[in-house]
Amino acid sequence: MEKHKKQYAFFLLLLFLFLSAGCGKREMTLRTAGEEAEEDYPEIESDDSSEEGRNTGITIYVCGAVVREGVYTLPADARAADALQAAGGYSEDAAKGIINLAAPLTDGEMLRFPTEEEAENMSPAERESRNPAPGDAADPSGEMNGKLNGKLNINKATKEELESLPGIGERKAEDIISYRESCGGFQNIEELKNISGIKDGVFDKLKDLITVDGK
């Protein structure tokens, strides 16, 4: 009886070892198959440079009195100072203080920094047209001071503002004011040629610097 018990126990031990070996082999087979599947179908990594990260900058052309003229891509909130820095700074013959370095930039803009020689030949009105100063808080458009979108409104300009225009001295400025008061204002800028001494040559220098809008 004792012999049969030992044989039965030995049989159970062999059965346990056999089953354990079979499960281990099956687990190894499944693991190997899984590893092969990972090799056949590698994980696709996400691309961080998605469309959301694109089109967030602006491209501008910086030229004139700078070290390196060229086309530069800058952040969307870049200012003129950033463009100047990208272009290597001012060249030796650059005129400083003409371009407002705090001015915001727009995509596709050409930003030209003038030389000292170019700046010397500019009239005050031409400087304003290149870099119009913003109006005050009460009149942000500047219309009360005769300025409209960087141009001088000849229907509202003061005598001093008119004198800043090329070819317009004290006498012509007074004649312009007298004319607009007597005629109820200028209807168009060409009407300025009705003023004595303002012919085509002078008018050609003025036409891009003046306006009658918002009279």
Side-chain angles (χ1 to χ4, degrees):
M1 184 68 177
E2 187 67 26
K3 182 179 179 180
H4 287 297
K5 288 183 178 180
K6 289 182 178 180
Q7 289 178 344
Y8 181 72
F10 181 71
F11 175 76
L12 290 177
L13 178 62
L14 289 177
L15 181 62
F16 175 76
L17 292 175
F18 175 77
L19 292 175
S20 298
C23 290
K25 183 177 179 180
R26 183 171 181 272
E27 181 181 356
M28 184 179 296
T29 303
L30 291 174
R31 185 181 303 170
T32 303
E35 291 174 352
E36 290 177 353
E38 288 181 359
E39 293 178 358
D40 292 339
Y41 303 97
E43 181 180 355
I44 300 175
E45 297 182 358
S46 61
D47 185 7
D48 292 336
S49 59
S50 60
E51 290 294 332
E52 184 178 354
R54 300 177 186 174
N55 301 325
T56 56
I58 58 173
T59 301
I60 65 168
Y61 174 41
V62 187
C63 59
V66 293
V67 176
R68 296 185 302 271
E69 288 191 354
V71 177
Y72 298 94
T73 298
L74 301 172
D77 59 350
R79 305 280 174 156
D82 300 312
L84 178 62
Q85 182 179 5
Y90 289 112
S91 62
E92 293 182 357
D93 60 343
K96 300 178 181 179
I98 304 299
I99 300 298
N100 179 7
L101 296 182
L105 303 172
T106 57
D107 187 48
E109 177 181 353
M110 181 179 77
L111 182 62
R112 178 178 177 80
F113 290 88
T115 63
E116 290 181 351
E117 182 179 356
E118 290 172 337
E120 289 176 358
N121 294 326
M122 289 182 190
S123 69
E126 287 176 309
R127 293 193 183 207
E128 287 287 345
S129 67
R130 282 174 175 257
N131 182 26
D136 56 28
D139 181 34
S141 69
E143 289 188 47
M144 294 298 292
N145 295 320
K147 298 291 177 60
L148 183 64
N149 298 327
K151 293 186 177 183
L152 191 66
N153 188 332
I154 57 177
N155 279 318
K156 293 184 177 181
T158 64
K159 176 183 173 183
E160 291 74 18
E161 288 174 328
L162 290 169
E163 289 178 13
S164 71
L165 293 170
I168 303 298
E170 181 180 1
R171 179 64 181 273
K172 286 190 178 70
E174 292 175 350
D175 290 343
I176 291 173
I177 293 174
S178 297
Y179 181 92
R180 76 187 186 196
E181 289 178 350
S182 61
C183 298
F186 293 91
Q187 301 302 311
N188 53 67
I189 61 173
E190 286 77 11
E191 196 175 343
L192 194 65
K193 290 189 287 186
N194 293 337
I195 306 298
S196 176
I198 300 180
K199 303 302 180 183
D200 289 340
V202 174
F203 179 77
D204 287 342
K205 296 178 181 179
L206 299 174
K207 62 184 181 181
D208 295 327
L209 306 174
I210 60 175
T211 182
V212 296
D213 291 340
K215 65 177 182 176

Short mmCIF file of all heavy atoms in Angstrom, two decimals, residues 146-192:
data_model
loop_
_atom_site.label_atom_id
_atom_site.label_comp_id
_atom_site.label_asym_id
_atom_site.label_seq_id
_atom_site.Cartn_x
_atom_site.Cartn_y
_atom_site.Cartn_z
N GLY A 146 -4.11 117.79 -38.74
CA GLY A 146 -3.89 117.86 -40.18
C GLY A 146 -3.29 116.61 -40.76
O GLY A 146 -3.01 116.55 -41.95
N LYS A 147 -3.07 115.55 -39.97
CA LYS A 147 -2.47 114.31 -40.47
C LYS A 147 -3.55 113.26 -40.61
O LYS A 147 -4.41 113.09 -39.76
CB LYS A 147 -1.39 113.81 -39.50
CG LYS A 147 -0.22 114.77 -39.32
CD LYS A 147 0.60 114.87 -40.58
CE LYS A 147 1.74 115.88 -40.42
NZ LYS A 147 2.65 115.52 -39.34
N LEU A 148 -3.50 112.52 -41.72
CA LEU A 148 -4.45 111.45 -41.96
C LEU A 148 -3.71 110.32 -42.66
O LEU A 148 -3.28 110.47 -43.79
CB LEU A 148 -5.62 111.92 -42.83
CG LEU A 148 -6.73 110.90 -43.09
CD1 LEU A 148 -7.41 110.53 -41.78
CD2 LEU A 148 -7.74 111.43 -44.08
N ASN A 149 -3.54 109.19 -41.92
CA ASN A 149 -2.83 108.04 -42.48
C ASN A 149 -1.45 108.39 -43.01
O ASN A 149 -1.02 107.91 -44.06
CB ASN A 149 -3.67 107.38 -43.60
CG ASN A 149 -4.99 106.86 -43.09
OD1 ASN A 149 -5.09 106.42 -41.95
ND2 ASN A 149 -6.02 106.92 -43.92
N GLY A 150 -0.77 109.28 -42.29
CA GLY A 150 0.59 109.64 -42.69
C GLY A 150 0.68 110.75 -43.72
O GLY A 150 1.77 111.19 -44.05
N LYS A 151 -0.46 111.20 -44.26
CA LYS A 151 -0.46 112.28 -45.25
C LYS A 151 -1.00 113.55 -44.61
O LYS A 151 -1.78 113.50 -43.66
CB LYS A 151 -1.32 111.89 -46.46
CG LYS A 151 -0.73 110.75 -47.28
CD LYS A 151 -1.54 110.51 -48.55
CE LYS A 151 -0.93 109.42 -49.40
NZ LYS A 151 -1.67 109.23 -50.69
N LEU A 152 -0.59 114.68 -45.16
CA LEU A 152 -1.02 115.97 -44.63
C LEU A 152 -2.33 116.38 -45.30
O LEU A 152 -2.42 116.49 -46.51
CB LEU A 152 0.06 117.02 -44.89
CG LEU A 152 -0.14 118.36 -44.18
CD1 LEU A 152 -0.02 118.18 -42.68
CD2 LEU A 152 0.89 119.37 -44.66
N ASN A 153 -3.35 116.58 -44.47
CA ASN A 153 -4.65 117.01 -44.97
C ASN A 153 -4.62 118.52 -45.19
O ASN A 153 -4.62 119.30 -44.24
CB ASN A 153 -5.74 116.63 -43.96
CG ASN A 153 -7.13 116.86 -44.51
OD1 ASN A 153 -7.35 117.72 -45.36
ND2 ASN A 153 -8.09 116.09 -44.00
N ILE A 154 -4.59 118.95 -46.45
CA ILE A 154 -4.44 120.37 -46.74
C ILE A 154 -5.69 121.17 -46.40
O ILE A 154 -5.67 122.41 -46.41
CB ILE A 154 -4.06 120.61 -48.23
CG1 ILE A 154 -5.09 119.98 -49.17
CG2 ILE A 154 -2.67 120.04 -48.50
CD1 ILE A 154 -4.82 120.24 -50.64
N ASN A 155 -6.78 120.49 -46.07
CA ASN A 155 -7.99 121.20 -45.62
C ASN A 155 -7.96 121.47 -44.12
O ASN A 155 -8.78 122.23 -43.61
CB ASN A 155 -9.24 120.39 -45.97
CG ASN A 155 -9.66 120.57 -47.41
OD1 ASN A 155 -9.63 121.69 -47.94
ND2 ASN A 155 -10.02 119.49 -48.07
N LYS A 156 -7.02 120.85 -43.39
CA LYS A 156 -6.96 121.02 -41.94
C LYS A 156 -5.58 121.41 -41.43
O LYS A 156 -5.42 121.76 -40.27
CB LYS A 156 -7.39 119.72 -41.24
CG LYS A 156 -8.84 119.37 -41.44
CD LYS A 156 -9.23 118.13 -40.63
CE LYS A 156 -10.70 117.82 -40.78
NZ LYS A 156 -11.11 116.64 -39.99
N ALA A 157 -4.58 121.33 -42.30
CA ALA A 157 -3.21 121.57 -41.87
C ALA A 157 -3.00 123.00 -41.40
O ALA A 157 -3.60 123.95 -41.93
CB ALA A 157 -2.26 121.26 -43.01
N THR A 158 -2.15 123.15 -40.40
CA THR A 158 -1.77 124.49 -39.93
C THR A 158 -0.76 125.10 -40.90
O THR A 158 -0.22 124.41 -41.77
CB THR A 158 -1.15 124.41 -38.54
OG1 THR A 158 0.07 123.67 -38.62
CG2 THR A 158 -2.09 123.72 -37.56
N LYS A 159 -0.51 126.38 -40.71
CA LYS A 159 0.47 127.07 -41.56
C LYS A 159 1.84 126.41 -41.44
O LYS A 159 2.53 126.20 -42.45
CB LYS A 159 0.54 128.54 -41.15
CG LYS A 159 1.60 129.34 -41.91
CD LYS A 159 1.66 130.77 -41.39
CE LYS A 159 2.82 131.52 -42.02
NZ LYS A 159 2.95 132.90 -41.49
N GLU A 160 2.23 126.07 -40.21
CA GLU A 160 3.54 125.44 -40.00
C GLU A 160 3.62 124.09 -40.67
O GLU A 160 4.67 123.72 -41.23
CB GLU A 160 3.81 125.30 -38.49
CG GLU A 160 4.04 126.61 -37.75
CD GLU A 160 2.76 127.41 -37.55
OE1 GLU A 160 1.65 126.81 -37.67
OE2 GLU A 160 2.85 128.62 -37.27
N GLU A 161 2.53 123.31 -40.63
CA GLU A 161 2.53 122.00 -41.28
C GLU A 161 2.62 122.14 -42.79
O GLU A 161 3.32 121.36 -43.45
CB GLU A 161 1.27 121.23 -40.88
CG GLU A 161 1.29 120.74 -39.44
CD GLU A 161 -0.02 120.11 -39.03
OE1 GLU A 161 -1.08 120.53 -39.54
OE2 GLU A 161 0.02 119.19 -38.19
N LEU A 162 1.94 123.11 -43.34
CA LEU A 162 2.01 123.33 -44.79
C LEU A 162 3.42 123.75 -45.21
O LEU A 162 3.90 123.34 -46.26
CB LEU A 162 1.00 124.40 -45.21
CG LEU A 162 -0.49 124.00 -45.12
CD1 LEU A 162 -1.38 125.21 -45.31
CD2 LEU A 162 -0.81 122.92 -46.14
N GLU A 163 4.08 124.53 -44.37
CA GLU A 163 5.44 124.98 -44.69
C GLU A 163 6.43 123.82 -44.67
O GLU A 163 7.52 123.93 -45.25
CB GLU A 163 5.89 126.05 -43.69
CG GLU A 163 5.18 127.39 -43.87
CD GLU A 163 5.62 128.41 -42.83
OE1 GLU A 163 6.63 128.17 -42.14
OE2 GLU A 163 4.94 129.45 -42.70
N SER A 164 6.07 122.71 -44.02
CA SER A 164 6.98 121.55 -43.99
C SER A 164 6.98 120.78 -45.30
O SER A 164 7.84 119.94 -45.53
CB SER A 164 6.57 120.61 -42.85
OG SER A 164 5.35 119.95 -43.15
N LEU A 165 6.02 121.08 -46.17
CA LEU A 165 5.94 120.40 -47.47
C LEU A 165 7.00 120.94 -48.41
O LEU A 165 7.34 122.13 -48.38
CB LEU A 165 4.56 120.60 -48.08
CG LEU A 165 3.38 119.94 -47.37
CD1 LEU A 165 2.06 120.44 -47.95
CD2 LEU A 165 3.48 118.42 -47.46
N PRO A 166 7.55 120.09 -49.29
CA PRO A 166 8.56 120.56 -50.24
C PRO A 166 7.99 121.59 -51.21
O PRO A 166 6.91 121.39 -51.78
CB PRO A 166 8.98 119.28 -50.97
CG PRO A 166 7.85 118.32 -50.79
CD PRO A 166 7.27 118.65 -49.45
N GLY A 167 8.69 122.70 -51.36
CA GLY A 167 8.26 123.74 -52.30
C GLY A 167 7.24 124.71 -51.75
O GLY A 167 6.76 125.60 -52.46
N ILE A 168 6.85 124.54 -50.49
CA ILE A 168 5.84 125.41 -49.89
C ILE A 168 6.50 126.25 -48.80
O ILE A 168 6.93 125.74 -47.77
CB ILE A 168 4.67 124.61 -49.27
CG1 ILE A 168 4.02 123.71 -50.32
CG2 ILE A 168 3.65 125.55 -48.65
CD1 ILE A 168 3.41 124.45 -51.48
N GLY A 169 6.58 127.53 -49.04
CA GLY A 169 7.13 128.44 -48.05
C GLY A 169 6.02 129.15 -47.29
O GLY A 169 4.84 128.79 -47.38
N GLU A 170 6.40 130.20 -46.55
CA GLU A 170 5.43 130.91 -45.74
C GLU A 170 4.33 131.54 -46.58
O GLU A 170 3.14 131.46 -46.25
CB GLU A 170 6.14 131.99 -44.91
CG GLU A 170 5.21 132.78 -44.00
CD GLU A 170 5.95 133.83 -43.19
OE1 GLU A 170 7.18 133.94 -43.34
OE2 GLU A 170 5.29 134.54 -42.41
N ARG A 171 4.72 132.16 -47.68
CA ARG A 171 3.74 132.85 -48.54
C ARG A 171 2.74 131.88 -49.16
O ARG A 171 1.51 132.11 -49.12
CB ARG A 171 4.47 133.63 -49.63
CG ARG A 171 3.56 134.37 -50.60
CD ARG A 171 2.78 135.46 -49.89
NE ARG A 171 1.91 136.17 -50.78
CZ ARG A 171 2.27 137.23 -51.52
NH1 ARG A 171 3.53 137.67 -51.48
NH2 ARG A 171 1.41 137.84 -52.30
N LYS A 172 3.23 130.75 -49.70
CA LYS A 172 2.32 129.78 -50.32
C LYS A 172 1.42 129.12 -49.26
O LYS A 172 0.25 128.83 -49.54
CB LYS A 172 3.12 128.71 -51.06
CG LYS A 172 3.75 129.18 -52.37
CD LYS A 172 4.31 128.00 -53.14
CE LYS A 172 4.90 128.44 -54.48
NZ LYS A 172 6.14 129.22 -54.31
N ALA A 173 1.94 128.91 -48.08
CA ALA A 173 1.13 128.33 -47.01
C ALA A 173 -0.04 129.26 -46.67
O ALA A 173 -1.17 128.80 -46.46
CB ALA A 173 1.99 128.07 -45.77
N GLU A 174 0.24 130.56 -46.61
CA GLU A 174 -0.82 131.53 -46.33
C GLU A 174 -1.84 131.55 -47.47
O GLU A 174 -3.05 131.67 -47.22
CB GLU A 174 -0.21 132.92 -46.15
CG GLU A 174 0.63 133.04 -44.88
CD GLU A 174 1.33 134.38 -44.77
OE1 GLU A 174 1.33 135.14 -45.79
OE2 GLU A 174 1.88 134.71 -43.70
N ASP A 175 -1.36 131.43 -48.72
CA ASP A 175 -2.27 131.42 -49.87
C ASP A 175 -3.17 130.18 -49.86
O ASP A 175 -4.35 130.26 -50.22
CB ASP A 175 -1.47 131.47 -51.17
CG ASP A 175 -0.79 132.82 -51.38
OD1 ASP A 175 -1.19 133.79 -50.71
OD2 ASP A 175 0.15 132.89 -52.21
N ILE A 176 -2.62 129.06 -49.44
CA ILE A 176 -3.40 127.82 -49.37
C ILE A 176 -4.52 127.96 -48.34
O ILE A 176 -5.68 127.59 -48.59
CB ILE A 176 -2.49 126.63 -49.01
CG1 ILE A 176 -1.55 126.32 -50.18
CG2 ILE A 176 -3.32 125.39 -48.66
CD1 ILE A 176 -0.49 125.27 -49.87
N ILE A 177 -4.20 128.52 -47.20
CA ILE A 177 -5.20 128.71 -46.15
C ILE A 177 -6.28 129.69 -46.59
O ILE A 177 -7.48 129.47 -46.37
CB ILE A 177 -4.52 129.18 -44.85
CG1 ILE A 177 -3.62 128.06 -44.29
CG2 ILE A 177 -5.56 129.59 -43.81
CD1 ILE A 177 -2.80 128.47 -43.10
N SER A 178 -5.86 130.78 -47.26
CA SER A 178 -6.83 131.77 -47.74
C SER A 178 -7.76 131.15 -48.78
O SER A 178 -8.98 131.41 -48.78
CB SER A 178 -6.09 132.96 -48.34
OG SER A 178 -5.32 133.62 -47.36
N TYR A 179 -7.20 130.33 -49.67
CA TYR A 179 -7.99 129.70 -50.72
C TYR A 179 -9.04 128.76 -50.12
O TYR A 179 -10.21 128.81 -50.51
CB TYR A 179 -7.08 128.96 -51.69
CG TYR A 179 -7.80 128.28 -52.83
CD1 TYR A 179 -7.99 128.95 -54.04
CD2 TYR A 179 -8.29 126.98 -52.71
CE1 TYR A 179 -8.66 128.34 -55.09
CE2 TYR A 179 -8.97 126.37 -53.75
CZ TYR A 179 -9.15 127.05 -54.95
OH TYR A 179 -9.82 126.45 -55.99
N ARG A 180 -8.64 127.90 -49.20
CA ARG A 180 -9.58 126.93 -48.67
C ARG A 180 -10.67 127.60 -47.83
O ARG A 180 -11.80 127.10 -47.77
CB ARG A 180 -8.84 125.86 -47.86
CG ARG A 180 -8.38 126.29 -46.48
CD ARG A 180 -7.51 125.24 -45.81
NE ARG A 180 -7.20 125.60 -44.43
CZ ARG A 180 -6.24 125.05 -43.71
NH1 ARG A 180 -5.48 124.09 -44.25
NH2 ARG A 180 -6.03 125.41 -42.46
N GLU A 181 -10.34 128.73 -47.19
CA GLU A 181 -11.34 129.43 -46.40
C GLU A 181 -12.36 130.12 -47.30
O GLU A 181 -13.56 130.17 -46.99
CB GLU A 181 -10.67 130.45 -45.49
CG GLU A 181 -9.90 129.80 -44.33
CD GLU A 181 -9.18 130.82 -43.46
OE1 GLU A 181 -9.14 132.02 -43.88
OE2 GLU A 181 -8.67 130.45 -42.40
N SER A 182 -11.88 130.65 -48.42
CA SER A 182 -12.78 131.37 -49.33
C SER A 182 -13.60 130.43 -50.20
O SER A 182 -14.72 130.78 -50.63
CB SER A 182 -11.98 132.33 -50.21
OG SER A 182 -11.05 131.61 -51.02
N CYS A 183 -13.08 129.23 -50.47
CA CYS A 183 -13.76 128.29 -51.37
C CYS A 183 -14.42 127.13 -50.63
O CYS A 183 -14.96 126.21 -51.26
CB CYS A 183 -12.78 127.74 -52.40
SG CYS A 183 -12.07 129.00 -53.48
N GLY A 184 -14.36 127.15 -49.32
CA GLY A 184 -14.97 126.07 -48.57
C GLY A 184 -14.17 124.79 -48.57
O GLY A 184 -14.74 123.71 -48.39
N GLY A 185 -12.88 124.93 -48.78
CA GLY A 185 -12.01 123.75 -48.76
C GLY A 185 -11.71 123.21 -50.14
O GLY A 185 -12.41 123.50 -51.12
N PHE A 186 -10.66 122.39 -50.23
CA PHE A 186 -10.26 121.76 -51.49
C PHE A 186 -11.13 120.53 -51.72
O PHE A 186 -11.34 119.72 -50.82
CB PHE A 186 -8.79 121.36 -51.44
CG PHE A 186 -7.84 122.52 -51.38
CD1 PHE A 186 -7.41 123.02 -50.15
CD2 PHE A 186 -7.37 123.12 -52.54
CE1 PHE A 186 -6.53 124.09 -50.09
CE2 PHE A 186 -6.49 124.19 -52.48
CZ PHE A 186 -6.06 124.68 -51.26
N GLN A 187 -11.60 120.36 -52.94
CA GLN A 187 -12.38 119.19 -53.30
C GLN A 187 -11.48 118.02 -53.68
O GLN A 187 -11.85 116.87 -53.52
CB GLN A 187 -13.32 119.52 -54.47
CG GLN A 187 -14.29 120.65 -54.17
CD GLN A 187 -15.16 120.37 -52.96
OE1 GLN A 187 -15.75 119.29 -52.86
NE2 GLN A 187 -15.24 121.32 -52.04
N ASN A 188 -10.31 118.33 -54.19
CA ASN A 188 -9.31 117.31 -54.55
C ASN A 188 -7.93 117.95 -54.50
O ASN A 188 -7.80 119.18 -54.46
CB ASN A 188 -9.59 116.72 -55.95
CG ASN A 188 -9.72 117.81 -57.01
OD1 ASN A 188 -8.76 118.51 -57.33
ND2 ASN A 188 -10.94 117.98 -57.53
N ILE A 189 -6.90 117.14 -54.48
CA ILE A 189 -5.55 117.68 -54.33
C ILE A 189 -5.10 118.44 -55.58
O ILE A 189 -4.26 119.35 -55.49
CB ILE A 189 -4.53 116.58 -53.98
CG1 ILE A 189 -4.46 115.52 -55.10
CG2 ILE A 189 -4.87 115.93 -52.65
CD1 ILE A 189 -3.34 114.50 -54.87
N GLU A 190 -5.64 118.07 -56.76
CA GLU A 190 -5.26 118.78 -57.99
C GLU A 190 -5.65 120.25 -57.95
O GLU A 190 -5.05 121.10 -58.62
CB GLU A 190 -5.91 118.11 -59.21
CG GLU A 190 -5.29 116.78 -59.62
CD GLU A 190 -5.72 115.64 -58.72
OE1 GLU A 190 -6.65 115.83 -57.90
OE2 GLU A 190 -5.11 114.55 -58.82
N GLU A 191 -6.67 120.57 -57.15
CA GLU A 191 -7.12 121.94 -57.02
C GLU A 191 -6.05 122.84 -56.41
O GLU A 191 -6.11 124.06 -56.51
CB GLU A 191 -8.39 121.97 -56.16
CG GLU A 191 -9.19 123.26 -56.25
CD GLU A 191 -10.49 123.17 -55.49
OE1 GLU A 191 -10.93 122.04 -55.17
OE2 GLU A 191 -11.07 124.24 -55.20
N LEU A 192 -5.05 122.20 -55.80
CA LEU A 192 -3.94 122.96 -55.21
C LEU A 192 -3.20 123.75 -56.28
O LEU A 192 -2.58 124.80 -55.98
CB LEU A 192 -2.98 122.00 -54.49
CG LEU A 192 -1.96 122.63 -53.53
CD1 LEU A 192 -2.67 123.29 -52.36
CD2 LEU A 192 -0.99 121.56 -53.03
#
